[in-house]
Amino acid sequence: MGASIGVVDSMNAELKEIVEMTEKIKFTIAEYDSALIDRENAKVFKKHGKIIKALTSRTKAQNLRTITMKKKTPDDIYQIVGGNNNYAKFMKMLFMSKQDIEMENLKATGKADLYDEEMLVNIIGTSSAKEVKELDELFKKEKETTLAQMFESKTKEGSHLQKFVALCLEKGAKRPITKSADDDLAIKQANEIHKAGASRLLGQDEDVIFNILVNASRAQCASIADAYLTLHHMKFERAINMKFKGNCGKLILLWSQTLPAAVVSCLSGYQERMIVDKIAVVSMIAKYDKDFLAQVDISAEKLFEKNLIGVVQRGLSGNLLKAVTEWIENATPDKGYERVMKQFLDTQTDQGRSLEDMMYTDEFQQRLIFLQTKEKDELQKYVKENRIKFNPEDKLDLRALSMDSFAMHHNQAALDDAPVESLNKYSVKSVTPVNGASYDKKFQLVQNYLQNFFEKYDPQEEGHFETERFWELMKELPMTAMGFSPEALDDMRNWTEWDTDGCVYYHEAMYELSDSAITAIEGKTTGNT
């Protein structure tokens, strides 16, 4: 919730008290989660089930509060949960903004100019006008060029894709965000699109089609597609694909769907490939908060007659599948009311209203009181049920939260480096880091050794063993020479969480095993085993 000093000062006493209490509880939950991460990080064998459950049961805003508690970054989360695997990448993304995830994926393509046409088409097609504008600003800062200029220089002069992208980026910023549609207008627009496209034996008038679609809201475009089917007995998708091929046709169809439908269509496309692009799938899931994913889940049922997990699960396994599933399904402590509040305020500002001006109206403050009370009640219930220590008398200065968001309080707390009380002070051990380059080299050597060992017993390249078979093979490894005591080896099966429906995917196990082997040999950390 954005808050200037003027906004804070204009709050009435009741609203200010509720906001203070709500922020204190969020801060307490962030401390609780931060302590849990520290405890698990100090162990040789981490309880990934606990980490997954904690971090996938939060909103992105709450996760951000958690890492600022100890001045951590998303990259720290990546290392804490194991690194070097898709599960760690997904967990890291839960702490990143949509635009940061998209920019990181573009950089990961290895292309100096960051031009990956299909990826950019998917991004534009599954983004709101505001999100496209934010990515364009980030792109401009990174490459000193705009997305429109990039497409203009990389696509064929006068091509359909070049034209449509230019219109999307130019006029899309002003695209209506209304969720309602004018059905009578949609009938007229569907007829115009048909006359300009599918009804013609040769060619098409793309200017007519493009101008209708780029100026219509997503809800209006969906109504046009429905009207098109009714009037011309042809799916809108088929009509577009008859005249526009490749990435242009794909972008037009993504642009013309409601945002949840566009996202699930994109995800389904990834799944239909011979080899599933796991990073593309989990990135798309990690970009969005839970309230939006609930809408995507509904769209998945309508379009494909299966839920969102059913759409994305092919190619995912082990901790990655568990984390993705729980991010989609797990409820948050506030039951989504923080997101409701943010969306309410964003809607007001998107309509050109000033938050400071609105704060002087009693009606607006009463609405905020209602939403904040709902959030506070849910958070108090969560704290009580989970026996999280909370002192409502702790002081909180709202004016300290008044620059860009209330979350600045948590950033300041991290800078102050205030000690965090652990639930069990004896469970957290200090960590002595080793030289990064040296550790990475040793990690790779151990990982290669383990991979060669397991693949020798997996001639069919299935990537997994039945659980009993896996532990039989573990006994054949020189575990004592790798630094594990007989007692630790006996307890390993109880401590680890590698089993997935009676199987162990050894590529996941060997990441944690490699880290633990180096730990045991060199004392990278001291902790429970």
Side-chain angles (χ1 to χ4, degrees):
M1 178 178 172
S4 67
I5 291 177
V7 169
V8 173
D9 288 343
S10 60
M11 290 182 182
N12 62 38
E14 182 182 6
L15 176 58
K16 187 176 294 187
E17 181 181 356
I18 295 171
V19 170
E20 285 179 349
M21 179 65 72
T22 304
E23 291 300 313
K24 282 190 284 188
I25 302 173
K26 291 178 187 176
F27 185 66
T28 300
I29 293 174
E31 288 179 325
Y32 174 80
D33 290 343
S34 182
L36 181 148
I37 292 171
D38 285 343
R39 288 199 305 276
E40 294 304 320
N41 188 39
K43 296 174 181 177
V44 174
F45 290 105
K46 303 172 182 65
K47 286 283 189 180
H48 286 279
K50 280 187 176 181
I51 296 174
I52 290 171
K53 183 176 181 181
L55 301 184
T56 60
S57 301
R58 305 290 184 261
T59 60
K60 279 180 169 281
Q62 187 64 27
N63 275 339
L64 186 59
R65 293 186 189 98
T66 297
I67 60 174
T68 56
M69 290 295 305
K70 291 293 185 68
K71 292 184 282 189
K72 288 184 172 68
T73 66
D75 283 324
D76 292 321
I77 297 297
Y78 176 75
Q79 295 298 333
I80 286 170
V81 299
N84 298 307
N85 60 75
N86 292 329
Y87 157 59
K89 290 177 182 177
F90 177 72
M91 296 302 287
K92 169 187 173 180
M93 291 176 193
L94 299 185
F95 295 80
M96 298 169 64
S97 71
K98 181 177 183 291
Q99 290 70 36
D100 286 338
I101 292 172
E102 290 164 348
M103 186 57 71
E104 182 167 288
N105 286 346
L106 286 169
K107 290 178 180 178
T109 63
K111 299 177 181 180
D113 54 13
L114 303 185
Y115 183 76
D116 184 306
E117 186 173 287
E118 183 184 19
M119 189 181 295
L120 286 167
V121 162
N122 288 339
I123 289 171
I124 295 171
T126 58
S127 297
S128 66
K130 183 178 180 181
E131 289 167 345
V132 172
K133 183 178 179 181
E134 289 171 349
L135 179 65
D136 196 32
E137 291 171 353
L138 193 60
F139 201 89
K140 193 173 182 179
K141 184 184 297 183
E142 189 74 29
K143 302 304 296 182
E144 297 183 349
T145 185
T146 64
L147 286 171
Q149 291 168 339
M150 174 66 73
F151 270 95
E152 184 178 1
S153 66
K154 294 293 183 178
T155 53
K156 183 179 178 180
E157 180 68 28
S159 67
H160 290 154
L161 179 61
Q162 186 184 77
K163 284 184 177 181
F164 191 65
V165 168
L167 286 169
C168 288
L169 296 175
E170 176 191 351
K171 297 186 177 181
K174 301 175 183 177
R175 190 180 198 186
I177 58 174
T178 177
K179 293 183 180 181
S180 60
D182 184 334
D183 293 336
D184 292 333
L185 177 61
I187 292 172
K188 179 182 177 182
Q189 292 171 320
N191 278 324
E192 290 178 4
I193 289 173
H194 184 66
K195 290 176 183 177
S199 69
R200 299 189 179 192
L201 185 61
L202 295 173
Q204 66 284 311
D205 186 345
E206 65 270 16
D207 291 338
V208 171
I209 298 171
F210 291 174
N211 280 318
I212 290 174
L213 296 178
V214 297
N215 289 296
S217 68
R218 286 185 178 271
Q220 186 66 25
C221 285
S223 183
I224 292 171
D226 290 340
Y228 196 98
L229 178 60
T230 302
L231 293 168
H232 305 292
H233 309 290
M234 180 190 299
K235 285 187 175 181
F236 186 71
E237 178 181 1
R238 184 185 171 200
I240 292 298
N241 285 332
M242 284 172 61
K243 298 298 180 179
F244 303 99
K245 306 301 180 184
N247 284 325
C248 182
K250 182 178 185 179
L251 179 56
I252 292 171
L253 291 172
L254 290 175
W255 182 269
S256 303
Q257 294 176 291
T258 63
L259 200 50
V263 169
V264 79
S265 295
C266 204
L267 285 167
S268 179
Y270 293 139
Q271 294 289 317
E272 289 172 358
R273 298 176 181 177
M274 185 174 293
I275 300 176
V276 177
D277 187 342
K278 296 181 183 179
I279 289 299
V281 172
V282 301
S283 296
M284 186 66 76
I285 296 296
K287 287 179 188 180
Y288 301 103
D289 243 310
K290 294 171 175 293
D291 58 321
F292 181 77
L293 290 178
Q295 297 175 45
V296 177
D297 189 55
I298 294 170
S299 291
E301 293 279 5
K302 290 180 179 178
L303 293 174
F304 302 106
E305 296 184 348
K306 53 185 174 182
N307 61 21
L308 179 56
I309 295 169
V311 171
V312 305
Q313 65 184 358
R314 177 175 168 253
L316 308 184
S317 60
N319 283 332
L320 177 59
L321 177 58
K322 183 180 178 66
V324 169
T325 299
E326 295 197 20
W327 178 246
I328 294 170
E329 291 189 336
N330 286 356
T332 57
D334 64 6
K335 297 297 186 289
Y337 278 106
E338 181 178 27
R339 289 280 300 162
V340 172
M341 172 70 86
K342 183 180 185 306
Q343 289 173 352
F344 171 66
L345 294 176
D346 286 347
T347 299
Q348 305 305 313
T349 54
D350 287 344
Q351 293 175 356
R353 297 168 183 167
S354 165
L355 184 59
E356 292 191 13
D357 290 343
M358 288 187 293
M359 286 298 295
Y360 287 101
T361 66
D362 184 64
E363 181 182 355
F364 183 73
Q365 293 216 24
Q366 288 302 315
R367 178 63 175 168
L368 295 186
I369 288 172
F370 173 78
L371 292 174
Q372 284 281 271
T373 301
K374 288 285 188 181
E375 183 181 358
K376 175 182 68 69
D377 291 347
E378 293 294 346
L379 290 172
Q380 286 179 323
K381 182 179 178 182
Y382 178 84
V383 167
K384 183 178 180 180
E385 289 177 348
N386 289 271
R387 300 181 180 180
I388 299 174
K389 183 179 178 182
F390 172 64
N391 182 8
E393 301 303 318
D394 289 341
K395 299 298 181 183
L396 178 68
D397 181 8
L398 281 181
R399 294 174 67 89
L401 315 179
S402 60
M403 301 302 278
D404 293 320
S405 78
F406 284 113
M408 284 198 66
H409 169 64
H410 310 299
N411 294 333
Q412 187 59 50
L415 294 174
D416 293 341
D417 203 21
V420 178
E421 181 179 349
S422 168
L423 296 182
N424 179 357
K425 63 182 179 181
Y426 299 107
S427 66
V428 181
K429 310 296 181 181
S430 61
V431 178
T432 305
V434 296
N435 177 271
S438 172
Y439 173 76
D440 289 342
K441 185 175 180 180
K442 292 171 185 174
F443 182 90
Q444 193 62 51
L445 288 172
V446 177
Q447 183 177 295
N448 290 342
Y449 170 78
L450 292 172
Q451 182 168 341
N452 290 333
F453 172 81
F454 287 124
E455 287 181 348
K456 181 174 68 174
Y457 295 96
D458 184 25
Q460 303 300 319
E461 299 182 354
E462 294 179 335
H464 63 82
F465 300 105
E466 290 185 359
T467 300
E468 294 303 325
R469 175 60 174 157
F470 174 80
W471 288 106
E472 288 174 5
L473 292 175
M474 287 288 286
K475 293 176 183 177
E476 297 186 24
L477 283 167
M479 300 300 289
T480 304
M482 291 171 69
F484 294 99
S485 66
E487 294 78 13
L489 188 57
D490 290 339
D491 289 340
M492 190 181 297
R493 185 167 180 174
N494 295 326
W495 275 102
T496 57
E497 297 178 332
W498 296 333
D499 181 273
T500 302
D501 298 328
C503 292
V504 174
Y505 291 82
Y506 58 80
H507 287 93
E508 291 191 3
M510 70 187 190
Y511 290 118
E512 191 171 351
L513 197 55
S514 299
D515 177 75
S516 300
I518 298 171
T519 296
I521 295 170
E522 298 191 351
K524 175 173 172 280
T525 63
T526 303
N528 301 326
T529 56

